[in-house]
Amino acid sequence: MARAATTSDVFNAIAEVRRRDILMLLRGGERPATAVAEELGLTQPGVSKHLRVLREVGLVRDRRDGKQRLYSLDAHGLRSVHEWAGGFEQFWNESFDRLDDYVQELKEEARTREGSNNPNKKAGQVDE
């Protein structure tokens, strides 16, 4: 099955680590491509290509400011990613609840063993 073009699919666009880095950087506010390139240690032409892809899928906006173009995050474009990932929230909450139950059982078993290994301790006595 052929992959969707990165310029038409948010999921493919953010699959590229440099694009995710750019999005993280733009959370802090708008920047020109040259500043993005400098801060991430990338080439300006490479950053421009990534910004074009991000703009085309609706994750980045741009505006003219004199001779330069400023880029900013358009978080509305991440809605589909948020909705998709949110579907796993119940799974993770239940998994963490089971893990917490297991840890509590281990702690209780350890307390029980400590109590049975200490002949001077009275039943129900708690260590301080």
Side-chain angles (χ1 to χ4, degrees):
M1 177 183 269
R3 279 182 45 183
T6 57
T7 58
S8 65
D9 178 24
V10 171
F11 290 92
N12 280 326
I14 64 172
E16 163 59 53
V17 69
R18 288 174 201 90
R19 292 186 193 127
R20 292 193 308 269
D21 291 342
I22 291 169
L23 293 174
M24 295 294 287
L25 185 62
L26 292 178
R27 284 189 337 175
E30 65 181 6
R31 289 174 169 76
T34 53
V36 172
E38 198 173 283
E39 291 183 52
L40 295 177
L42 303 171
T43 66
Q44 198 278 329
V47 166
S48 292
K49 289 178 183 178
H50 288 306
L51 286 167
R52 178 185 50 78
V53 169
L54 293 169
R55 188 181 70 239
E56 288 177 359
V57 299
L59 296 175
V60 166
R61 289 185 294 245
D62 66 327
R63 69 176 183 86
R64 280 268 190 218
D65 184 33
K67 290 185 177 186
Q68 65 182 354
R69 187 174 298 274
L70 297 175
Y71 294 88
S72 61
L73 178 66
D74 185 354
H76 288 107
L78 289 170
R79 184 178 310 267
S80 60
V81 175
H82 175 73
E83 289 170 355
W84 178 81
F88 295 94
E89 185 174 1
Q90 181 178 356
F91 167 80
W92 285 111
N93 286 337
E94 290 171 358
S95 296
F96 288 130
D97 288 345
R98 285 192 307 274
L99 179 61
D100 186 52
D101 291 344
Y102 179 67
V103 169
Q104 295 307 318
E105 287 175 24
L106 291 176
K107 286 180 179 179
E108 186 59 37
E109 288 174 11
R111 281 192 291 267
T112 302
R113 274 191 307 247
E114 286 175 8
S116 65
N117 290 338
N118 186 347
N120 296 329
K121 189 187 257 186
K122 297 178 185 170
Q125 181 180 359
V126 177
D127 287 334
E128 293 184 25

